[in-house]
Amino acid sequence: MGVSSRSAVAIHALTMLARWDDRSLTSAEIADSLASNPVLVRRILGSLRDAGLVWSTEGRGGGWTLARAPREITLYDAYAAVEMGPILSRHPHPPSEACEVGRHMQAVLESEFRDAEHAMEERLGRTTIAHLVQQTLARERELAH
């Protein structure tokens, strides 16, 4: 399947919720920041809710908030909540057994791809949403000077 833009949208939404943690944000507010559609944002937020990362309240003054502290949510948590399947695409059908490369390529690639995916998961697991808020605020301060 590969990584889609859902991960970036999810991480963006979580960072916004962490940045303005004193209030709920609507999907429209988050969509404005993404220059995107609120329906898409609601779908992503629904997956984040199912993963226990956010929760929502209905009605006037309702919206979305983090279900855990920003320092307890990693980029891998966001990725895992919205992406399905392996990161790197595998052969869509088995290669030819009549070819010495074809006979072994799936096993060789599986090992390499699995190691690469594990490295990505480990790296994303080291960065928290709190860290992204800090980076965002630091960059904003740099722009102000």
Side-chain angles (χ1 to χ4, degrees):
M1 176 94 179
V3 178
S4 70
S5 62
R6 290 186 302 266
S7 293
V9 171
I11 291 166
H12 187 125
L14 290 168
T15 304
M16 280 195 67
L17 293 172
R19 170 62 180 94
W20 286 283
D21 66 347
D22 58 334
R23 65 183 184 94
S24 295
L25 296 179
T26 66
S27 55
E29 289 172 310
I30 296 168
D32 282 346
S33 178
L34 283 156
S36 184
N37 185 313
V39 173
L40 166 73
V41 172
R42 278 192 292 279
R43 283 190 200 125
I44 298 294
L45 289 167
S47 294
L48 295 173
R49 180 187 54 223
D50 294 346
L53 301 176
V54 299
W55 58 279
S56 64
T57 53
E58 302 277 331
R60 186 178 175 100
W64 297 87
T65 56
L66 294 179
R68 299 188 337 217
R71 70 181 177 282
E72 297 173 0
I73 302 172
T74 68
L75 301 189
Y76 182 71
D77 294 329
Y79 163 81
V82 299
E83 299 292 350
M84 304 299 169
I87 298 164
L88 298 170
S89 297
R90 285 16 182 212
H91 277 295
H93 51 81
S96 172
E97 284 292 320
C99 173
E100 64 187 33
V101 172
R103 258 191 308 276
H104 304 289
M105 189 51 59
Q106 281 186 298
V108 170
L109 280 181
E110 185 59 35
S111 174
E112 292 296 321
F113 285 6
R114 197 171 40 247
D115 288 350
E117 289 167 344
H118 177 72
M120 189 197 92
E121 291 168 8
E122 190 276 327
R123 177 62 185 91
L124 292 178
R126 285 189 274 146
T127 303
T128 67
I129 295 300
H131 185 85
L132 292 188
V133 170
Q134 292 169 349
Q135 287 182 327
T136 301
L137 293 176
R139 291 175 74 94
E140 188 64 20
R141 284 191 298 273
E142 288 174 12
L143 281 177
H145 288 108

